[in-house]
Amino acid sequence: MYRVLGYYICEKLVVPDCLGIKGDEIITVSDCFSGIHPDLTYCYFINNRKMKRIEYQKKWDITEEKAVLLQNDIHSMFERCLAMDGRFLNIEDAKRIRQKYFDENKCVIVSVSTTEEYYKVLTKELSENSNGINNFFSGVEDKNIMLGYDILGWDFSGFHTFLCNSLHKELEMIRFNKYCLIENDFENVQNFAIQIQGKGEPVEWIPCRIGRCE
């Protein structure tokens, strides 16, 4: 069984050429790719970020009035069921926010889950590194449609994917689907995670299942 850590609203991004992966788009919960919404940097913690905030609002057609509503929505959830990196505790909240503020054709809601063994490791890391802030996890069984696998590591306030450091280029047998997610079976993904431990970002690499939430 895969246990859910939480849910993200992910923008469907153009695949960066530097990755060397042939995909239609990249779907990732790593904040290194700037595809997680709402991006609290530009729509909640907005001091001294006026131009970036304006660009963000324009991109998603968020008026000043809607921007205030979005801030209020975030405020009502923040540190209770919405984490610093955009992770939602409840799928219902993620669906509501996407419907109100973001283009449903450009954004998909995903679940991040892993097996019991790795769930315990990852939730411990999130709890310790966040100093008690955002210490909430769904824990329910992930029954969402599987999009593929990723290898993720938690670094203080957000996930890194192993793609951040192009560690996939060291894994000869790895295969990717059209979302730039791993299509090998979970056992292979576990072995990939072992092979890259200690490389790239200073995190523990964990094999994770990414699901699509309808």
Side-chain angles (χ1 to χ4, degrees), residues 173-185:
M173 302 301 294
I174 198 166
R175 302 191 309 273
F176 291 97
N177 61 26
K178 64 181 181 179
Y179 307 114
C180 294
L181 293 169
I182 305 171
E183 63 178 16
N184 301 73
D185 62 32

Side-chain angles (χ1 to χ4, degrees), residues 141-154:
E141 182 178 359
D142 194 348
K143 296 182 179 180
N144 299 291
I145 300 169
M146 190 175 80
L147 289 178
Y149 296 108
D150 201 347
I151 301 175
L152 303 173
W154 183 259

Side-chain angles (χ1 to χ4, degrees), residues 75-142:
H75 182 73
S76 68
M77 295 184 290
F78 187 57
E79 296 185 358
R80 181 177 57 83
C81 52
L82 175 63
M84 180 79 73
D85 68 320
R87 175 172 53 93
F88 290 87
L89 172 64
N90 304 307
I91 182 62
E92 294 81 9
D93 289 329
K95 289 181 177 180
R96 177 173 57 85
I97 294 299
R98 184 184 65 168
Q99 182 180 38
K100 287 179 66 175
Y101 303 105
F102 300 99
D103 189 332
E104 296 186 35
N105 293 318
K106 296 180 180 179
C107 294
V108 60
I109 299 173
V110 304
S111 57
V112 177
S113 61
T114 190
T115 57
E116 184 70 30
E117 173 190 357
Y118 296 110
Y119 181 86
K120 291 179 179 178
V121 172
L122 203 43
T123 53
K124 182 180 179 182
E125 281 202 349
L126 267 71
S127 297
E128 291 177 348
N129 290 338
S130 63
N131 295 318
I133 299 175
N134 305 329
N135 185 9
F136 51 77
F137 315 102
S138 175
V140 300
E141 182 178 359
D142 194 348

Side-chain angles (χ1 to χ4, degrees), residues 42-43 46 52-64 67:
Y42 303 133
C43 58
I46 59 176
K52 290 291 186 180
R53 175 172 59 86
I54 291 173
E55 290 176 12
Y56 189 80
Q57 291 176 201
K58 183 177 180 180
K59 176 179 179 178
W60 297 106
D61 195 24
I62 297 174
T63 63
E64 285 296 331

Side-chain angles (χ1 to χ4, degrees), residues 34-73:
S34 301
I36 305 300
H37 304 291
D39 187 327
L40 273 60
T41 302
Y42 303 133
C43 58
Y44 191 61
F45 304 113
I46 59 176
N47 292 336
N48 301 319
R49 298 184 177 94
K50 183 177 179 180
M51 293 308 298
K52 290 291 186 180
R53 175 172 59 86
I54 291 173
E55 290 176 12
Y56 189 80
Q57 291 176 201
K58 183 177 180 180
K59 176 179 179 178
W60 297 106
D61 195 24
I62 297 174
T63 63
E64 285 296 331
E65 181 179 3
K66 285 185 69 176
V68 172
L69 293 175
L70 177 55
Q71 285 183 307
N72 290 338
D73 276 332

